[in-house]
Amino acid sequence: MKVLFFALLRERLGCAELVLEQNEPTTVAKVLEQLKSRSQEWRNTLDNQELLAAVNQSFVDFDATVQKGDELAFFPPVTGG
Amino acid sequence: MKVLFFALLRERLGCAELVLEQNEPTTVAKVLEQLKSRSQEWRNTLDNQELLAAVNQSFVDFDATVQKGDELAFFPPVTGG
Amino acid sequence: MIRVAVQEHNFNMAELYHELSQSPANGAVVTFTGLVREVVDTELTHLTLEHYPGMTERALNDIGQQAMARWPLGKIIIIHRIGILGLNENIVFVGVASGHRKQAFAAAEFLMDYLKTRAPFWKKEHTSAGTSWVAAKDSDQTAASRWQSSKE
Amino acid sequence: MIRVAVQEHNFNMAELYHELSQSPANGAVVTFTGLVREVVDTELTHLTLEHYPGMTERALNDIGQQAMARWPLGKIIIIHRIGILGLNENIVFVGVASGHRKQAFAAAEFLMDYLKTRAPFWKKEHTSAGTSWVAAKDSDQTAASRWQSSKE
């Protein structure tokens, strides 16, 4: 599973993209917990930021299912236009 | 006093502009009555048409005063844009 | 700043947009353009646009000033064409530049609603079946009157 | 018909207007353009626009389809620029062609409200005082949410 980060989140984490081994279907919320457990810095950043999530380039709630081969993205509220 | 007619009104009356002798101040409504009395055709046209009026190029109600030297205009509801 | 024009010749969208987008204080530009539209069931060849010279410019300026008094706007342009206008030709342009989009949208719609009911222009349709003056629409009166009860 | 584009280069207003005004069935064209606006108290030199390649195009198309489902529209164009954008440069263009003005205005405003809250773009301001990501505005969420309770 590919996980993408954008904008402020990408900058704070110092990471634009990572790959997670994930054989069983899981949820966006569980992946997020797993990411927070990587380090105190990741936890702080992901806790302190209002986050949006997309799976395969569509917005989803955090209880949405993600599985092997999916593209999961986390990012701050959008500010285009 | 100059009296102007536009669009359908101009066409029906066969008149774009006429000059009325008017030494005393009067009202738009009274001028309209005077115009209707010119002929049965004028009466029919001015009775059967929803009319707007302007004095010196500003919209007015029919009880507005008009006087010597004013430019009075009658026309149908506008349809620009 | 308000600029109004009543003219026979067409307007140039690129120039108008340039004029509207000059100031770095204005982050939002909204434009409306009305065009000669086909008429269902009859073959429209063209419109003729009659107006009340002098009063039209006054009325358009007045409408522009009312919009300026309601919203913080940087620039308003109103252009109305007159004379003979073929199918799909431009009739009217309203452009508004403002700091924010909400005000720009509201002002542009206000300007069109007021122009439709308060500027002395009259359209005549020329079709394969003959000519006829366009009737005023109740929906335009309704659209204009809603601005009297609300400030937004 | 919906056309969306995400691009670094500027857009050409004359060409876009031409594209919107082709059909004689559409008597009304409304456009919105958003530009880089000066920032009060700091000297803004430019913005950088980041986006989520692939998802942006999908999101813009989806927003366009929602507008098409709500109103009878002839054509929608949505263009969003990315990369480095200097003061007063164009950022975003939304254009709608429709039979009547009311629908064209409503659709253009809807498209902008949804784009502001549902298309994955992020602005970063570069000023004399440093750089900072632009914060999302509550007013944009409010503007977008009103379309959920009303069909007009």
Side-chain angles (χ1 to χ4, degrees), chain A residues 13-61:
Chain A
L13 297 175
C15 176
E17 178 174 339
L18 57 81
V19 174
L20 287 185
E21 285 291 330
Q22 183 71 42
N23 289 314
E24 298 296 307
T26 180
T27 66
V28 173
K30 282 181 186 154
V31 175
L32 186 60
E33 275 316 306
Q34 193 183 330
L35 292 169
K36 285 182 188 174
S37 70
R38 285 168 71 101
S39 76
Q40 192 57 41
E41 211 182 320
W42 278 63
R43 180 170 300 279
N44 289 344
T45 299
L46 294 169
D47 272 344
N48 287 330
Q49 181 68 36
E50 193 187 348
L51 289 187
L52 299 177
V55 171
N56 298 331
Q57 307 188 350
S58 293
F59 283 101
V60 293
D61 292 330

Side-chain angles (χ1 to χ4, degrees), chain A residues 8 12 19-20 30 42-43 49 65 71-72 74 79:
Chain A
L8 180 61
R12 290 257 171 97
V19 174
L20 287 185
K30 282 181 186 154
W42 278 63
R43 180 170 300 279
Q49 181 68 36
T65 302
E71 177 176 299
L72 170 59
F74 291 104
T79 57

Side-chain angles (χ1 to χ4, degrees), chain A residues 4-8 10-11 54 56-59 71 73 75-81, chain D residues 50-52 54-55 58 80 92 115-124 133-134 136:
Chain A
L4 308 178
F5 305 99
F6 290 97
L8 180 61
R10 174 181 54 69
E11 280 188 355
N56 298 331
Q57 307 188 350
S58 293
F59 283 101
E71 177 176 299
F75 43 79
V78 303
T79 57
Chain D
E50 179 170 333
H51 75 128
Y52 181 172
M55 183 172 168
R58 287 174 63 121
H80 204 296
V92 63
L115 185 153
K116 282 261 180 189
T117 51
R118 298 180 185 206
F121 294 97
W122 300 273
K123 283 197 194 95
K124 191 176 194 174
W133 292 96
V134 172

Side-chain angles (χ1 to χ4, degrees), chain B residues 6-35:
Chain B
F6 290 97
L8 180 61
L9 208 59
R10 175 181 53 69
E11 281 188 353
R12 290 256 170 97
L13 298 174
C15 176
E17 178 173 341
L18 57 80
V19 174
L20 288 184
E21 284 292 328
Q22 183 72 42
N23 289 315
E24 297 298 305
T26 180
T27 67
V28 172
K30 282 181 185 154
V31 175
L32 186 59
E33 275 315 306
Q34 194 184 331
L35 292 169

Side-chain angles (χ1 to χ4, degrees), chain D:
Chain D
M1 265 193 56
I2 302 169
R3 181 165 82 79
V4 312
V6 178
Q7 62 190 39
E8 290 195 16
H9 58 280
N10 197 10
F11 37 82
N12 180 308
M13 292 299 291
E15 284 173 18
L16 289 169
Y17 180 69
H18 180 73
E19 189 178 339
L20 287 166
S21 61
Q22 297 268 36
S23 163
N26 298 325
V29 173
V30 171
T31 74
F32 174 86
T33 317
L35 302 99
V36 180
R37 195 167 156 262
E38 64 193 2
V39 175
V40 183
D41 296 335
T42 56
E43 203 178 313
L44 183 80
T45 58
H46 61 282
L47 296 181
T48 43
L49 255 295
E50 179 170 333
H51 75 128
Y52 181 172
M55 183 172 168
T56 43
E57 291 83 351
R58 287 174 63 121
L60 296 180
N61 263 307
D62 177 60
I63 293 166
Q65 275 161 19
Q66 289 186 55
M68 284 281 188
R70 278 176 181 249
W71 297 282
L73 307 175
K75 175 106 188 167
I76 291 174
I77 301 176
I78 309 175
I79 301 179
H80 204 296
R81 293 179 69 194
I82 51 171
I84 298 172
L85 298 176
L87 194 60
N88 216 32
E89 278 200 72
N90 293 327
I91 304 171
V92 63
F93 174 87
V94 161
V96 175
S98 181
H100 299 282
R101 76 182 182 286
K102 189 179 175 181
Q103 289 74 24
F105 271 117
E109 203 165 2
F110 169 89
L111 290 168
M112 278 309 302
D113 288 346
Y114 270 42
L115 185 153
K116 282 261 180 189
T117 51
R118 298 180 185 206
F121 294 97
W122 300 273
K123 283 197 194 95
K124 191 176 194 174
E125 289 178 349
H126 300 253
T127 73
S128 50
T131 67
S132 62
W133 292 96
V134 172
K137 285 188 221 145
D138 287 345
S139 60
D140 286 330
Q141 289 294 339
T142 307
S145 63
R146 82 199 143 108
W147 298 103
Q148 279 156 25
S149 51
S150 109
K151 276 277 175 187
E152 282 207 300

